[in-house]
Amino acid sequence: MQSQKKTETIAAIATPSGEGGVGIVRISGSSALEVAKKIFSPCSGLSKYEHLQLNYGKITPPNKKTTIDNGYLVYIKDPNSYTGEDIVELQTHGGSLVLSSVLSAVFEAGARSAEPGEFTQRAFLNGKISITEAEAVSELITAKTEDALKSAKERLDGALTKKINNIKKELVKLLTQVEAELDFAEDEPEDEIVQLASIEAKVILEKLQEKIITLIDSYKEGRALKEGVSVVILGEPNAGKSSLLNILLKEERAIVTEVAGTTRDFIEEVVKIKGLPVRLMDTAGLRASTSKVESQGVERARERAKKADLILYIADVTKKDFNQDVEELKNIRTVEDEKKIIVLLNKCDLEPEENKTEVIKYFKEFPFCKISVKKERGIKKLEELIYEEIVERKGGQTESSQGCLVASAWQVEALREASLEISSAIETLKNNEPREVLAAKLHSVLYYVGELAGETTPEDILEQIFSSFCIGK
Protein backbone atom coordinates (compact mmCIF):
# COMPACT_ATOMS: atom_id res chain seq x y z
CA MET A 1 0.00 0.00 0.00
CA GLN A 2 1.42 3.38 -1.00
CA SER A 3 2.57 5.74 1.76
CA GLN A 4 0.38 8.50 0.32
CA LYS A 5 -2.67 6.30 0.78
CA LYS A 6 -1.84 5.75 4.44
CA THR A 7 -2.44 9.44 5.17
CA GLU A 8 -5.83 9.53 3.46
CA THR A 9 -9.14 9.26 5.30
CA ILE A 10 -10.76 5.91 4.59
CA ALA A 11 -14.22 4.47 5.14
CA ALA A 12 -16.05 1.15 4.90
CA ILE A 13 -19.07 -0.70 6.22
CA ALA A 14 -17.85 -2.47 9.37
CA THR A 15 -20.79 -4.84 9.91
CA PRO A 16 -21.69 -8.01 7.92
CA SER A 17 -23.75 -7.70 4.75
CA GLY A 18 -27.48 -8.38 4.92
CA GLU A 19 -30.24 -7.08 7.14
CA GLY A 20 -29.80 -6.32 10.84
CA GLY A 21 -30.95 -4.08 13.65
CA VAL A 22 -27.78 -1.96 13.59
CA GLY A 23 -25.16 -1.27 10.95
CA ILE A 24 -21.90 0.66 11.25
CA VAL A 25 -19.93 2.74 8.77
CA ARG A 26 -16.38 3.32 10.01
CA ILE A 27 -14.25 6.32 9.03
CA SER A 28 -10.54 6.58 9.93
CA GLY A 29 -7.94 9.29 9.29
CA SER A 30 -6.98 12.80 10.27
CA SER A 31 -10.10 14.19 8.52
CA ALA A 32 -12.54 11.59 9.87
CA LEU A 33 -14.52 14.03 12.04
CA GLU A 34 -14.46 16.73 9.37
CA VAL A 35 -15.90 14.27 6.83
CA ALA A 36 -18.58 13.09 9.28
CA LYS A 37 -19.66 16.65 10.10
CA LYS A 38 -20.52 17.23 6.44
CA ILE A 39 -23.26 14.59 6.55
CA PHE A 40 -24.26 14.35 10.23
CA SER A 41 -26.57 16.86 11.91
CA PRO A 42 -26.88 16.37 15.69
CA CYS A 43 -30.43 16.78 17.03
CA SER A 44 -29.04 18.47 20.16
CA GLY A 45 -27.42 21.23 18.08
CA LEU A 46 -24.01 20.69 19.69
CA SER A 47 -20.94 21.98 17.83
CA LYS A 48 -18.17 20.04 19.61
CA TYR A 49 -17.87 16.26 19.66
CA GLU A 50 -16.28 14.65 22.71
CA HIS A 51 -14.19 11.47 22.73
CA LEU A 52 -16.40 8.33 23.04
CA GLN A 53 -19.59 10.40 23.35
CA LEU A 54 -22.72 9.00 21.68
CA ASN A 55 -24.46 11.67 19.57
CA TYR A 56 -27.92 11.22 18.01
CA GLY A 57 -28.80 12.96 14.75
CA LYS A 58 -29.65 12.81 11.06
CA ILE A 59 -27.44 11.59 8.19
CA THR A 60 -27.84 13.53 4.98
CA PRO A 61 -25.59 13.55 1.88
CA PRO A 62 -23.61 16.79 1.28
CA ASN A 63 -25.63 19.57 -0.34
CA LYS A 64 -28.86 17.53 -0.26
CA LYS A 65 -32.03 17.80 1.81
CA THR A 66 -33.25 14.20 1.89
CA THR A 67 -32.18 12.38 5.06
CA ILE A 68 -30.88 8.84 4.59
CA ASP A 69 -31.45 7.71 8.18
CA ASN A 70 -31.36 8.78 11.81
CA GLY A 71 -28.54 7.31 13.86
CA TYR A 72 -25.61 7.84 16.18
CA LEU A 73 -22.14 9.30 15.72
CA VAL A 74 -19.29 8.13 17.94
CA TYR A 75 -15.98 10.02 17.83
CA ILE A 76 -12.85 8.12 18.95
CA LYS A 77 -9.89 10.46 19.16
CA ASP A 78 -6.36 9.44 18.28
CA PRO A 79 -4.26 7.77 19.57
CA ASN A 80 -6.89 5.96 21.65
CA SER A 81 -8.57 4.27 18.72
CA TYR A 82 -8.19 0.93 16.97
CA THR A 83 -6.12 2.40 14.13
CA GLY A 84 -4.26 4.99 16.21
CA GLU A 85 -5.95 7.71 14.11
CA ASP A 86 -9.16 9.68 14.57
CA ILE A 87 -12.10 7.33 14.02
CA VAL A 88 -15.77 8.13 13.57
CA GLU A 89 -18.41 5.41 13.56
CA LEU A 90 -21.86 6.14 12.15
CA GLN A 91 -24.41 3.73 13.61
CA THR A 92 -27.61 3.38 11.59
CA HIS A 93 -30.26 0.78 10.89
CA GLY A 94 -28.67 -2.34 9.44
CA GLY A 95 -30.28 -2.59 6.00
CA SER A 96 -27.82 -3.04 3.13
CA LEU A 97 -29.38 -0.17 1.14
CA VAL A 98 -29.22 2.18 4.15
CA LEU A 99 -25.56 1.38 4.80
CA SER A 100 -24.49 1.66 1.17
CA SER A 101 -26.26 5.04 0.94
CA VAL A 102 -24.50 6.28 4.11
CA LEU A 103 -21.14 5.05 2.77
CA SER A 104 -21.73 6.82 -0.54
CA ALA A 105 -22.44 10.03 1.37
CA VAL A 106 -19.16 9.59 3.30
CA PHE A 107 -17.30 9.23 0.01
CA GLU A 108 -18.97 12.40 -1.30
CA ALA A 109 -17.79 14.17 1.86
CA GLY A 110 -14.15 13.37 1.11
CA ALA A 111 -13.20 9.89 2.29
CA ARG A 112 -12.09 7.06 0.02
CA SER A 113 -12.96 3.38 0.11
CA ALA A 114 -10.83 1.34 2.51
CA GLU A 115 -8.91 -1.59 1.06
CA PRO A 116 -9.21 -5.09 2.61
CA GLY A 117 -7.60 -5.07 6.05
CA GLU A 118 -6.58 -1.41 5.81
CA PHE A 119 -7.95 -0.45 9.24
CA THR A 120 -5.91 -3.22 10.87
CA GLN A 121 -2.89 -2.40 8.74
CA ARG A 122 -2.99 1.17 10.00
CA ALA A 123 -3.22 -0.17 13.57
CA PHE A 124 -0.02 -2.12 12.87
CA LEU A 125 1.77 0.79 11.18
CA ASN A 126 0.82 3.13 14.03
CA GLY A 127 2.19 0.74 16.64
CA LYS A 128 -1.17 -0.21 18.16
CA ILE A 129 -0.68 -3.94 17.54
CA SER A 130 2.15 -6.24 16.43
CA ILE A 131 2.11 -8.11 13.12
CA THR A 132 1.24 -11.42 14.85
CA GLU A 133 -1.59 -9.69 16.73
CA ALA A 134 -2.82 -8.11 13.48
CA GLU A 135 -3.00 -11.51 11.83
CA ALA A 136 -4.83 -12.90 14.86
CA VAL A 137 -7.64 -10.38 14.22
CA SER A 138 -8.55 -12.20 11.01
CA GLU A 139 -8.20 -15.59 12.71
CA LEU A 140 -10.54 -14.47 15.48
CA ILE A 141 -13.22 -13.53 12.94
CA THR A 142 -12.98 -16.83 11.02
CA ALA A 143 -12.59 -19.19 14.03
CA LYS A 144 -14.76 -22.30 13.67
CA THR A 145 -14.45 -23.81 17.16
CA GLU A 146 -14.14 -22.56 20.74
CA ASP A 147 -10.51 -23.73 20.89
CA ALA A 148 -9.68 -21.95 17.63
CA LEU A 149 -11.32 -18.82 19.02
CA LYS A 150 -9.36 -19.09 22.26
CA SER A 151 -6.07 -19.61 20.43
CA ALA A 152 -6.65 -16.58 18.18
CA LYS A 153 -7.77 -14.42 21.12
CA GLU A 154 -4.65 -15.23 23.13
CA ARG A 155 -2.43 -14.34 20.15
CA LEU A 156 -4.41 -11.13 19.76
CA ASP A 157 -3.79 -10.40 23.44
CA GLY A 158 -0.05 -10.64 22.77
CA ALA A 159 0.96 -14.07 24.13
CA LEU A 160 2.98 -14.93 20.99
CA THR A 161 4.28 -11.37 20.66
CA LYS A 162 5.61 -11.57 24.22
CA LYS A 163 7.45 -14.82 23.44
CA ILE A 164 9.02 -13.29 20.34
CA ASN A 165 10.02 -10.08 22.13
CA ASN A 166 11.66 -12.05 24.95
CA ILE A 167 13.72 -14.02 22.41
CA LYS A 168 14.66 -10.79 20.66
CA LYS A 169 15.65 -9.15 23.97
CA GLU A 170 18.04 -12.02 24.81
CA LEU A 171 19.56 -11.91 21.32
CA VAL A 172 20.15 -8.16 21.47
CA LYS A 173 21.77 -8.53 24.88
CA LEU A 174 24.10 -11.27 23.61
CA LEU A 175 24.95 -9.36 20.43
CA THR A 176 25.77 -6.27 22.49
CA GLN A 177 28.20 -8.33 24.59
CA VAL A 178 29.85 -9.86 21.53
CA GLU A 179 30.27 -6.49 19.82
CA ALA A 180 31.66 -5.02 23.05
CA GLU A 181 34.27 -7.79 23.04
CA LEU A 182 35.19 -6.79 19.49
CA ASP A 183 35.67 -3.17 20.56
CA PHE A 184 37.95 -4.11 23.46
CA ALA A 185 39.58 -7.22 22.00
CA GLU A 186 43.06 -5.63 22.04
CA ASP A 187 42.87 -5.12 25.83
CA GLU A 188 41.99 -8.73 26.72
CA PRO A 189 43.86 -12.03 26.22
CA GLU A 190 42.39 -13.93 23.27
CA ASP A 191 41.84 -17.14 25.28
CA GLU A 192 39.63 -15.32 27.80
CA ILE A 193 37.47 -13.93 25.00
CA VAL A 194 37.12 -17.38 23.45
CA GLN A 195 36.24 -18.86 26.84
CA LEU A 196 33.46 -16.31 27.40
CA ALA A 197 32.03 -16.92 23.92
CA SER A 198 32.20 -20.71 24.08
CA ILE A 199 30.58 -21.03 27.50
CA GLU A 200 28.14 -18.16 28.12
CA ALA A 201 27.11 -17.47 24.52
CA LYS A 202 26.68 -21.17 23.67
CA VAL A 203 24.42 -21.77 26.70
CA ILE A 204 22.32 -18.69 25.86
CA LEU A 205 21.96 -19.68 22.20
CA GLU A 206 21.00 -23.26 23.03
CA LYS A 207 18.27 -22.07 25.40
CA LEU A 208 16.94 -19.63 22.78
CA GLN A 209 16.92 -22.38 20.18
CA GLU A 210 14.87 -24.59 22.51
CA LYS A 211 12.27 -21.83 22.79
CA ILE A 212 12.19 -21.37 19.02
CA ILE A 213 11.86 -25.12 18.37
CA THR A 214 8.96 -25.26 20.85
CA LEU A 215 7.20 -22.58 18.79
CA ILE A 216 7.98 -24.42 15.54
CA ASP A 217 6.54 -27.64 16.98
CA SER A 218 3.30 -25.82 17.84
CA TYR A 219 2.63 -25.03 14.17
CA LYS A 220 0.77 -28.24 13.31
CA GLU A 221 -1.75 -27.61 16.07
CA GLY A 222 -1.93 -23.88 15.35
CA ARG A 223 -2.49 -24.46 11.63
CA ALA A 224 -5.13 -27.12 12.31
CA LEU A 225 -7.05 -24.76 14.60
CA LYS A 226 -6.77 -21.89 12.14
CA GLU A 227 -7.42 -23.63 8.82
CA GLY A 228 -9.25 -26.79 9.86
CA VAL A 229 -8.42 -30.38 8.96
CA SER A 230 -9.72 -32.49 6.07
CA VAL A 231 -10.43 -36.11 6.97
CA VAL A 232 -11.68 -38.65 4.39
CA ILE A 233 -13.41 -41.89 5.38
CA LEU A 234 -12.50 -44.76 3.05
CA GLY A 235 -13.31 -48.46 2.95
CA GLU A 236 -15.23 -51.14 1.13
CA PRO A 237 -19.03 -50.93 0.83
CA ASN A 238 -20.92 -51.67 4.08
CA ALA A 239 -17.75 -51.34 6.18
CA GLY A 240 -19.49 -48.70 8.32
CA LYS A 241 -18.31 -45.42 6.78
CA SER A 242 -21.65 -43.62 6.78
CA SER A 243 -22.51 -44.89 10.25
CA LEU A 244 -19.20 -43.50 11.54
CA LEU A 245 -19.94 -40.13 9.95
CA ASN A 246 -23.32 -40.03 11.68
CA ILE A 247 -21.80 -40.91 15.08
CA LEU A 248 -19.07 -38.26 14.85
CA LEU A 249 -21.63 -35.67 13.71
CA LYS A 250 -24.14 -36.83 16.34
CA GLU A 251 -26.90 -36.73 13.73
CA GLU A 252 -28.30 -38.89 10.93
CA ARG A 253 -26.59 -37.08 8.06
CA ALA A 254 -25.78 -40.05 5.79
CA ILE A 255 -28.20 -42.76 4.67
CA VAL A 256 -27.32 -46.12 6.20
CA THR A 257 -28.71 -49.36 4.69
CA GLU A 258 -27.59 -52.96 4.25
CA VAL A 259 -27.51 -52.37 0.49
CA ALA A 260 -23.91 -52.00 -0.72
CA GLY A 261 -23.07 -48.88 -2.70
CA THR A 262 -25.66 -46.57 -1.11
CA THR A 263 -23.19 -43.67 -1.05
CA ARG A 264 -22.39 -42.75 -4.65
CA ASP A 265 -20.78 -39.33 -4.07
CA PHE A 266 -19.03 -37.81 -1.08
CA ILE A 267 -20.85 -36.18 1.85
CA GLU A 268 -18.94 -33.41 3.63
CA GLU A 269 -19.68 -31.90 7.05
CA VAL A 270 -17.71 -29.95 9.67
CA VAL A 271 -17.37 -31.39 13.16
CA LYS A 272 -15.30 -30.51 16.22
CA ILE A 273 -12.91 -33.25 17.33
CA LYS A 274 -10.76 -32.56 20.41
CA GLY A 275 -11.11 -28.84 19.68
CA LEU A 276 -10.02 -29.13 16.04
CA PRO A 277 -12.41 -28.03 13.25
CA VAL A 278 -12.57 -31.13 11.03
CA ARG A 279 -14.05 -31.32 7.52
CA LEU A 280 -15.25 -34.90 7.53
CA MET A 281 -16.01 -36.64 4.21
CA ASP A 282 -17.93 -39.87 3.75
CA THR A 283 -17.16 -41.44 0.37
CA ALA A 284 -18.35 -44.18 -1.95
CA GLY A 285 -17.31 -47.73 -1.04
CA LEU A 286 -14.12 -48.86 -2.75
CA ARG A 287 -14.88 -51.69 -5.14
CA ALA A 288 -15.00 -52.49 -8.84
CA SER A 289 -18.46 -51.74 -10.23
CA THR A 290 -20.27 -51.98 -13.55
CA SER A 291 -22.32 -48.92 -12.56
CA LYS A 292 -20.96 -45.80 -14.22
CA VAL A 293 -22.28 -43.58 -11.39
CA GLU A 294 -20.78 -45.75 -8.64
CA SER A 295 -17.45 -46.00 -10.48
CA GLN A 296 -17.28 -42.22 -10.67
CA GLY A 297 -18.02 -42.08 -6.94
CA VAL A 298 -15.14 -44.48 -6.22
CA GLU A 299 -12.78 -42.39 -8.36
CA ARG A 300 -13.83 -39.22 -6.56
CA ALA A 301 -13.23 -40.93 -3.22
CA ARG A 302 -9.64 -41.71 -4.24
CA GLU A 303 -9.11 -38.17 -5.50
CA ARG A 304 -10.39 -36.71 -2.22
CA ALA A 305 -8.10 -39.04 -0.31
CA LYS A 306 -5.06 -37.63 -2.14
CA LYS A 307 -5.87 -34.11 -0.90
CA ALA A 308 -6.88 -35.04 2.66
CA ASP A 309 -4.81 -34.32 5.76
CA LEU A 310 -5.84 -37.68 7.21
CA ILE A 311 -7.54 -40.86 6.00
CA LEU A 312 -9.74 -43.02 8.19
CA TYR A 313 -9.76 -46.45 6.55
CA ILE A 314 -12.52 -48.74 7.82
CA ALA A 315 -12.10 -52.49 7.59
CA ASP A 316 -14.80 -55.00 8.53
CA VAL A 317 -13.21 -57.41 11.06
CA THR A 318 -15.93 -60.02 10.51
CA LYS A 319 -14.50 -60.78 7.05
CA LYS A 320 -12.14 -63.66 6.35
CA ASP A 321 -10.12 -61.95 3.64
CA PHE A 322 -8.43 -58.54 4.07
CA ASN A 323 -6.32 -58.60 0.90
CA GLN A 324 -8.47 -55.98 -0.84
CA ASP A 325 -8.12 -53.61 2.14
CA VAL A 326 -4.35 -54.10 2.18
CA GLU A 327 -4.19 -53.47 -1.56
CA GLU A 328 -6.13 -50.20 -1.21
CA LEU A 329 -3.83 -49.03 1.59
CA LYS A 330 -0.76 -49.89 -0.51
CA ASN A 331 -2.17 -47.86 -3.40
CA ILE A 332 -2.67 -44.87 -1.10
CA ARG A 333 0.90 -45.15 0.17
CA THR A 334 2.22 -45.55 -3.39
CA VAL A 335 0.67 -42.23 -4.39
CA GLU A 336 1.82 -40.41 -1.25
CA ASP A 337 4.17 -42.21 1.12
CA GLU A 338 3.75 -39.74 3.99
CA LYS A 339 -0.06 -39.74 3.95
CA LYS A 340 -1.47 -40.02 7.47
CA ILE A 341 -3.74 -43.04 7.80
CA ILE A 342 -5.65 -44.52 10.73
CA VAL A 343 -7.11 -48.00 10.23
CA LEU A 344 -10.43 -48.59 11.99
CA LEU A 345 -11.24 -52.23 12.64
CA ASN A 346 -15.01 -52.02 12.73
CA LYS A 347 -17.64 -54.46 14.05
CA CYS A 348 -15.32 -55.56 16.87
CA ASP A 349 -18.42 -56.64 18.82
CA LEU A 350 -18.97 -59.35 16.17
CA GLU A 351 -15.32 -60.24 15.56
CA PRO A 352 -14.69 -64.01 15.27
CA GLU A 353 -12.19 -65.34 17.79
CA GLU A 354 -9.86 -66.59 15.03
CA ASN A 355 -9.65 -63.05 13.56
CA LYS A 356 -8.48 -61.28 16.72
CA THR A 357 -4.78 -61.95 16.14
CA GLU A 358 -4.91 -62.49 12.39
CA VAL A 359 -6.44 -59.10 11.53
CA ILE A 360 -3.70 -57.17 13.36
CA LYS A 361 -1.03 -58.83 11.17
CA TYR A 362 -2.56 -57.18 8.11
CA PHE A 363 -2.64 -53.64 9.52
CA LYS A 364 0.21 -53.58 12.07
CA GLU A 365 2.19 -50.92 10.17
CA PHE A 366 -0.62 -48.37 10.62
CA PRO A 367 -2.05 -46.70 13.71
CA PHE A 368 -5.24 -48.69 14.28
CA CYS A 369 -8.23 -48.67 16.56
CA LYS A 370 -10.89 -51.30 17.16
CA ILE A 371 -14.38 -49.83 17.05
CA SER A 372 -18.01 -50.76 16.78
CA VAL A 373 -20.07 -48.03 15.14
CA LYS A 374 -23.24 -50.01 15.94
CA LYS A 375 -22.43 -50.16 19.66
CA GLU A 376 -20.55 -46.83 19.58
CA ARG A 377 -17.44 -48.40 21.06
CA GLY A 378 -13.94 -47.00 20.64
CA ILE A 379 -15.14 -43.60 19.38
CA LYS A 380 -13.38 -41.63 22.12
CA LYS A 381 -10.13 -43.49 21.41
CA LEU A 382 -10.57 -42.72 17.72
CA GLU A 383 -10.97 -38.99 18.42
CA GLU A 384 -7.75 -39.06 20.47
CA LEU A 385 -5.93 -40.82 17.61
CA ILE A 386 -7.18 -38.24 15.08
CA TYR A 387 -5.90 -35.41 17.27
CA GLU A 388 -2.53 -37.08 17.87
CA GLU A 389 -1.97 -37.83 14.18
CA ILE A 390 -2.82 -34.28 13.12
CA VAL A 391 -0.79 -32.35 15.71
CA GLU A 392 1.83 -35.11 16.09
CA ARG A 393 1.66 -34.95 19.86
CA LYS A 394 0.28 -37.37 22.42
CA GLY A 395 -2.59 -36.25 24.65
CA GLY A 396 -4.92 -33.28 24.42
CA GLN A 397 -4.27 -29.57 24.37
CA THR A 398 -2.49 -28.13 27.38
CA GLU A 399 -2.80 -24.74 28.99
CA SER A 400 0.87 -24.07 28.24
CA SER A 401 0.47 -24.68 24.51
CA GLN A 402 -2.55 -22.40 24.14
CA GLY A 403 -1.77 -18.79 23.25
CA CYS A 404 1.76 -19.59 22.07
CA LEU A 405 0.74 -21.50 18.97
CA VAL A 406 2.27 -20.50 15.66
CA ALA A 407 -0.55 -20.56 13.11
CA SER A 408 0.90 -19.23 9.83
CA ALA A 409 3.33 -20.68 7.31
CA TRP A 410 5.36 -17.46 7.08
CA GLN A 411 5.75 -17.39 10.87
CA VAL A 412 7.08 -20.95 11.08
CA GLU A 413 9.39 -20.34 8.10
CA ALA A 414 10.92 -17.30 9.83
CA LEU A 415 11.39 -19.37 13.00
CA ARG A 416 13.07 -22.18 11.06
CA GLU A 417 15.46 -19.75 9.44
CA ALA A 418 16.23 -18.23 12.84
CA SER A 419 16.89 -21.71 14.25
CA LEU A 420 19.26 -22.54 11.37
CA GLU A 421 21.19 -19.32 11.95
CA ILE A 422 21.44 -20.10 15.67
CA SER A 423 22.85 -23.57 14.81
CA SER A 424 25.37 -21.87 12.56
CA ALA A 425 26.28 -19.41 15.33
CA ILE A 426 26.82 -22.28 17.76
CA GLU A 427 29.16 -23.91 15.23
CA THR A 428 31.27 -20.72 15.06
CA LEU A 429 31.67 -20.95 18.83
CA LYS A 430 32.66 -24.63 18.71
CA ASN A 431 35.21 -23.88 15.98
CA ASN A 432 36.59 -20.79 17.77
CA GLU A 433 35.93 -18.67 14.68
CA PRO A 434 36.51 -14.89 14.84
CA ARG A 435 34.01 -12.84 16.85
CA GLU A 436 33.09 -10.94 13.68
CA VAL A 437 31.62 -14.15 12.27
CA LEU A 438 29.57 -14.74 15.43
CA ALA A 439 28.29 -11.16 15.36
CA ALA A 440 27.22 -11.57 11.72
CA LYS A 441 25.33 -14.77 12.55
CA LEU A 442 23.54 -13.09 15.45
CA HIS A 443 22.50 -10.23 13.17
CA SER A 444 20.99 -12.85 10.82
CA VAL A 445 19.05 -14.44 13.68
CA LEU A 446 17.75 -11.02 14.69
CA TYR A 447 16.61 -10.36 11.12
CA TYR A 448 14.33 -13.41 11.11
CA VAL A 449 13.07 -12.75 14.64
CA GLY A 450 12.44 -9.19 13.45
CA GLU A 451 10.13 -10.56 10.75
CA LEU A 452 7.91 -11.98 13.49
CA ALA A 453 8.14 -8.73 15.43
CA GLY A 454 7.00 -6.81 12.33
CA GLU A 455 10.29 -4.89 11.97
CA THR A 456 11.75 -6.67 8.94
CA THR A 457 8.63 -8.42 7.61
CA PRO A 458 8.80 -8.42 3.78
CA GLU A 459 6.22 -6.30 1.95
CA ASP A 460 4.77 -9.29 0.10
CA ILE A 461 3.99 -11.03 3.40
CA LEU A 462 2.39 -7.89 4.81
CA GLU A 463 0.29 -7.53 1.68
CA GLN A 464 -0.74 -11.18 1.86
CA ILE A 465 -1.77 -10.87 5.51
CA PHE A 466 -3.92 -7.75 5.16
CA SER A 467 -5.40 -8.58 1.74
CA SER A 468 -6.99 -11.70 3.29
CA PHE A 469 -9.08 -9.50 5.62
CA CYS A 470 -12.61 -8.42 4.87
CA ILE A 471 -13.17 -4.79 3.90
CA GLY A 472 -14.14 -2.88 7.05
CA LYS A 473 -11.55 -4.56 9.26
Side-chain angles (χ1 to χ4, degrees), residues 302 306 329-339:
R302 294 191 172 112
K306 291 178 185 178
L329 289 168
K330 283 182 179 178
N331 290 336
I332 294 168
R333 279 284 166 87
T334 300
V335 173
E336 191 173 345
D337 188 51
E338 296 301 315
K339 179 67 71 179

Side-chain angles (χ1 to χ4, degrees), residues 358-374:
E358 190 68 22
V359 71
I360 295 174
K361 293 179 183 178
Y362 284 94
F363 306 109
K364 61 183 178 181
E365 64 180 285
F366 300 96
F368 68 87
C369 178
K370 288 195 173 185
I371 65 169
S372 169
V373 292
K374 185 175 182 180

Side-chain angles (χ1 to χ4, degrees), residues 161-310:
T161 301
K162 184 177 179 181
K163 289 276 186 184
I164 298 302
N165 286 341
N166 286 340
I167 291 171
K168 180 189 166 189
K169 183 179 178 181
E170 289 296 314
L171 282 168
V172 169
K173 184 179 178 181
L174 178 59
L175 180 58
T176 301
Q177 291 175 346
V178 172
E179 291 183 335
E181 290 170 17
L182 285 171
D183 292 337
F184 297 102
E186 295 179 0
D187 301 328
E188 297 287 347
E190 180 64 22
D191 59 341
E192 290 185 18
I193 297 173
V194 172
Q195 186 179 29
L196 172 66
S198 61
I199 297 175
E200 294 183 16
K202 182 172 176 292
V203 170
I204 292 169
L205 286 173
E206 286 174 345
K207 287 182 178 179
L208 288 175
Q209 190 167 45
E210 285 179 12
K211 293 178 181 179
I212 288 173
I213 289 172
T214 298
L215 290 173
I216 292 171
D217 289 344
S218 75
Y219 173 61
K220 289 182 176 67
E221 183 177 357
R223 176 180 173 270
L225 284 171
K226 175 185 174 183
E227 300 177 9
V229 179
S230 60
V231 175
V232 168
I233 306 173
L234 291 182
E236 292 184 341
N238 276 1
K241 301 183 299 299
S242 297
S243 296
L244 178 64
L245 176 76
N246 290 340
I247 287 173
L248 292 174
L249 290 175
K250 296 180 175 59
E251 64 173 275
E252 295 296 315
R253 175 64 180 83
I255 298 172
V256 177
T257 71
E258 295 180 357
V259 179
T262 303
T263 305
R264 299 296 184 94
D265 204 345
F266 65 90
I267 299 172
E268 181 174 345
E269 293 289 346
V270 176
V271 63
K272 182 177 75 172
I273 296 179
K274 301 288 284 184
L276 300 179
V278 174
R279 297 190 307 278
L280 200 60
M281 283 172 269
D282 177 25
T283 60
L286 302 178
R287 68 172 179 178
S289 174
T290 56
S291 166
K292 186 176 180 180
V293 174
E294 188 177 357
S295 295
Q296 286 182 354
V298 171
E299 187 58 33
R300 287 187 182 185
R302 294 191 172 112
E303 286 300 315
R304 290 279 166 174
K306 291 178 185 178
K307 299 174 183 177
D309 295 306
L310 174 67

Side-chain angles (χ1 to χ4, degrees), residues 124-125 130-132 135 410-411 414 446-466:
F124 163 65
L125 293 172
S130 70
I131 189 62
T132 52
E135 192 167 28
W410 74 269
Q411 293 174 354
L446 272 172
Y447 174 83
Y448 290 112
V449 173
E451 280 193 15
L452 292 159
E455 297 162 358
T456 58
T457 314
E459 280 292 326
D460 60 332
I461 290 178
L462 291 175
E463 185 176 342
Q464 177 185 328
I465 290 170
F466 293 111

Side-chain angles (χ1 to χ4, degrees), residues 94 103 120 168 184 254 268-269 342 402-403 411 413 431 433:
L103 185 61
T120 302
K168 180 189 166 189
F184 297 102
E268 181 174 345
E269 293 289 346
I342 297 175
Q402 284 295 308
Q411 293 174 354
E413 186 59 31
N431 299 330
E433 294 182 46

Side-chain angles (χ1 to χ4, degrees), residues 147 150-151 154 159 221 225 397-405:
D147 286 355
K150 180 182 177 183
S151 179
E154 290 178 333
E221 183 177 357
L225 284 171
Q397 294 171 343
T398 62
E399 204 62 37
S400 60
S401 72
Q402 284 295 308
C404 293
L405 300 178

